[in-house]
Amino acid sequence: MPDVAQTQRAEAGAGPRVVTACVVLIGDEILSGRTRDTNLSYIAKHLNEVGIQVREARVIPDIEETIVSVINEVRGRHDYVFTTGGIGPTHDDITADSIAKAFGLPIGYHPDALAILDAHYKETGGEFTEARKRMARVPEGATLIENSVSKAPGFQIGNVFVMAGVPMVMQVMLDSLTPRLEGGAAMRSRTVSGQIGEGTIAEKLGALQKRYPGIVIGSYPYYRGKVYGTSLVMRGTDPALLDEVAGEAAALIRGFGVEPVEGDPA
Amino acid sequence: MPDVAQTQRAEAGAGPRVVTACVVLIGDEILSGRTRDTNLSYIAKHLNEVGIQVREARVIPDIEETIVSVINEVRGRHDYVFTTGGIGPTHDDITADSIAKAFGLPIGYHPDALAILDAHYKETGGEFTEARKRMARVPEGATLIENSVSKAPGFQIGNVFVMAGVPMVMQVMLDSLTPRLEGGAAMRSRTVSGQIGEGTIAEKLGALQKRYPGIVIGSYPYYRGKVYGTSLVMRGTDPALLDEVAGEAAALIRGFGVEPVEGDPA
């Protein structure tokens, strides 16, 4: 991914390199509302800890043409792409084939994946059916991603990491692949909250944002029964600057006679 | 949206018209992992009930350029687009301006929105600040979407419906705008579950799918402590055909000596 990386280094000027990712959630069940996705927020938090920022997410159906075009669109635009879903043994699991097609690569059985699954079914007494063998198919040149929960591995091809959709399986795969990732500047955040309406502080907050273009300030209203207020979330890579802006945000809230709290409201 | 509608009617042949939607979740807080989105599944289920299928979802940051390009990409591709987030009073709420830009329209204060907000702040004793007035700004020609929770309205321009990000506000907006939607064929679903591995039934299930191309069969493994199994979800517009395939799916599971249950496992 030298081109993407270089462009972003140039954009970032002399500052620390910004490393970005796109998450692609593949599955009809998310778009139908049957399954409420929990993977995106988990992946985003995890990547953030290693200095990778999720800048975009897509939720797409189990349709080959769509998977191919979306993967090809986003893999050139981000340092990393992470997909979830569609790598099981059934007819509707078409992610591996679609990713191979996106890369213009043949797909075949990975010998290590076959060995892992063969050992697993021997141990558990399950039959290693043709359908289950499908889970050993990866694009040519892909490297496996270990699955310590249910064995059937994910895979990496280029800058695309293909993981399971079942959250506990996805989570161990993400842990397993993390050493392969090269993070950039860690994005840190500070939150300051107060029992005050967004509309009351909005003007002063806008002015604060203008004074600190290097920190992104988000304003999020909250409701806790009859109590309402606003959480101000400051994000940036410079810890000292972040401290300074968090201090200013607290002072801003205090200026309206409201005592600010560090973090989210209880 | 006559072009989109016509194309899709043609695609659907003599069958009932398929009406599609894209959901665009706007907000840095979802991409950072701070907020776990619940709006997508709510919107998808709600729309499904009125015969509209969510075919795609995007999660994008609060960046004008991104909002403009994504909205312009998806509004031509789907009958309807629903956005959430970014319509509050603070500097980071840039959705209304970005949507106006996407449509090439000027933005200004909507007199009804000003009146609603003015009355609201008079009643609650809040100050109707310049920042709060921002929430009355909509693209020229937009119609408002009522917000019975916190008053500041959403709006509709063309086939794009712009809603709040706070779930309880989004939900009343969605109820309020629903009479404006024209649904197509209602997508129905049936679920049959059994304590059996996906890999065991995969081959027969694939054959079943081939015999019924008009019904989409999804296979979803589940884990409940030490109990695992598979839920088969059948989706389609023809209730009789759906009953038939659900019966076949139950028989398929029973064929392996496992008693199927209707719906998801307890």
Side-chain angles (χ1 to χ4, degrees):
Chain A
M1 311 141 270
D3 291 350
V4 176
Q6 229 153 21
T7 309
Q8 290 181 333
R9 231 185 307 259
E11 279 173 9
R17 183 164 102 80
V18 172
V19 179
T20 73
C22 176
V23 175
V24 182
L25 309 171
I26 303 171
D28 293 344
E29 72 281 15
I30 307 171
L31 289 173
S32 73
R34 174 187 158 80
T35 301
R36 186 188 284 179
D37 171 69
T38 60
N39 286 334
L40 173 57
S41 64
Y42 187 95
I43 295 169
K45 278 185 201 164
H46 179 94
L47 293 179
N48 197 47
E49 283 168 19
V50 295
I52 297 170
Q53 297 172 40
V54 175
R55 285 286 176 88
E56 180 182 5
R58 300 288 191 100
V59 189
I60 59 174
D62 300 304
I63 296 174
E64 184 179 271
E65 188 192 344
T66 307
I67 300 171
V68 170
S69 74
V70 168
I71 291 297
N72 279 338
E73 186 188 332
V74 301
R75 72 188 172 98
R77 194 192 291 166
H78 298 276
D79 294 285
Y80 297 110
V81 174
F82 299 85
T83 78
T84 67
I87 60 168
T90 52
H91 66 277
D92 55 333
D93 293 306
I94 60 168
T95 299
D97 288 270
S98 305
I99 301 281
K101 203 160 187 175
F103 279 85
L105 290 168
I107 187 165
Y109 294 106
H110 192 295
D112 295 350
L114 277 177
I116 290 164
L117 288 169
D118 187 40
H120 173 62
Y121 290 111
K122 273 194 180 120
E123 197 183 307
T124 58
E127 197 190 339
F128 194 19
T129 58
E130 280 306 310
R132 284 175 170 145
K133 279 187 185 142
R134 284 191 71 216
M135 298 191 286
R137 294 169 74 244
V138 302
E140 197 172 285
T143 54
L144 300 183
I145 299 171
E146 193 189 353
N147 165 8
S148 56
V149 170
S150 54
K151 301 305 170 187
F155 64 85
Q156 171 191 2
I157 181 82
N159 61 339
V160 179
F161 293 83
V162 177
M163 303 186 287
V166 174
M168 65 180 169
V169 179
M170 184 284 292
Q171 290 167 19
V172 297
M173 287 182 173
L174 191 59
D175 278 340
S176 153
L177 68 83
T178 297
R180 304 184 201 174
L181 305 175
E182 200 181 322
M187 182 62 74
R188 295 156 199 275
S189 77
R190 287 282 295 276
T191 302
V192 174
S193 303
Q195 290 183 23
I196 189 165
E198 278 195 299
T200 305
I201 57 169
E203 286 175 51
K204 288 203 151 76
L205 191 65
L208 180 63
Q209 174 68 85
K210 279 212 181 82
R211 279 167 50 216
Y212 292 99
I215 300 290
V216 176
I217 309 176
S219 172
Y220 304 104
Y222 65 82
Y223 306 88
R224 297 276 189 282
K226 283 183 181 171
V227 175
Y228 71 96
T230 302
S231 290
L232 303 178
V233 179
M234 281 129 304
R235 304 183 80 235
T237 53
D238 180 339
L241 194 60
L242 210 50
D243 283 347
E244 192 177 321
V245 181
E248 295 257 9
L252 190 161
I253 291 173
R254 202 173 284 118
F256 287 93
V258 172
E259 193 48 34
V261 295
E262 177 80 26
D264 284 309
Chain B
M1 309 142 272
D3 290 350
V4 176
Q6 229 154 21
T7 309
Q8 290 182 334
R9 231 186 306 261
E11 279 174 10
R17 183 164 105 78
V18 172
V19 178
T20 74
C22 176
V23 174
V24 182
L25 309 171
I26 303 170
D28 293 345
E29 73 280 15
I30 307 171
L31 290 172
S32 74
R34 172 186 159 81
T35 301
R36 186 188 284 179
D37 172 69
T38 60
N39 286 334
L40 173 57
S41 65
Y42 187 94
I43 295 169
K45 277 185 203 165
H46 180 93
L47 292 179
N48 196 48
E49 282 167 19
V50 295
I52 297 170
Q53 297 172 42
V54 175
R55 284 286 176 86
E56 180 182 5
R58 300 288 190 99
V59 190
I60 58 174
D62 300 303
I63 297 175
E64 184 179 90
E65 188 191 344
T66 307
I67 301 172
V68 170
S69 75
V70 168
I71 290 297
N72 279 339
E73 184 188 335
V74 300
R75 72 188 173 98
R77 195 192 291 165
H78 298 277
D79 293 286
Y80 298 110
V81 174
F82 299 85
T83 78
T84 68
I87 60 168
T90 51
H91 64 278
D92 55 334
D93 293 306
I94 60 168
T95 299
D97 288 88
S98 305
I99 301 281
K101 203 160 187 176
F103 279 84
L105 290 169
I107 188 165
Y109 294 107
H110 192 295
D112 295 350
L114 278 178
I116 290 164
L117 289 168
D118 186 41
H120 173 61
Y121 290 112
K122 275 195 178 120
E123 197 183 306
T124 57
E127 196 190 340
F128 194 19
T129 58
E130 280 305 311
R132 284 176 170 146
K133 280 188 184 139
R134 284 190 72 215
M135 297 191 287
R137 294 169 74 243
V138 301
E140 197 172 284
T143 54
L144 301 182
I145 299 170
E146 192 190 352
N147 165 6
S148 56
V149 170
S150 53
K151 301 305 171 187
F155 64 86
Q156 172 192 0
I157 182 81
N159 62 338
V160 179
F161 293 83
V162 176
M163 303 186 289
V166 174
M168 65 180 167
V169 179
M170 185 284 292
Q171 290 167 19
V172 297
M173 286 182 174
L174 191 58
D175 279 339
S176 154
L177 68 81
T178 297
R180 304 184 201 174
L181 305 175
E182 201 179 324
M187 183 60 76
R188 295 155 199 275
S189 77
R190 287 281 296 274
T191 302
V192 173
S193 302
Q195 290 183 22
I196 189 164
E198 278 195 299
T200 306
I201 58 169
E203 286 175 50
K204 287 205 151 75
L205 190 66
L208 180 63
Q209 174 67 87
K210 278 214 181 80
R211 279 166 51 216
Y212 292 97
I215 300 290
V216 177
I217 308 176
S219 172
Y220 305 103
Y222 65 83
Y223 306 89
R224 299 274 188 283
K226 285 184 178 170
V227 174
Y228 72 97
T230 302
S231 289
L232 303 178
V233 179
M234 282 128 303
R235 305 183 79 234
T237 54
D238 180 339
L241 194 61
L242 210 51
D243 284 347
E244 193 177 322
V245 181
E248 295 258 8
L252 190 161
I253 292 173
R254 201 172 286 119
F256 287 94
V258 172
E259 193 48 33
V261 296
E262 177 81 26
D264 285 308

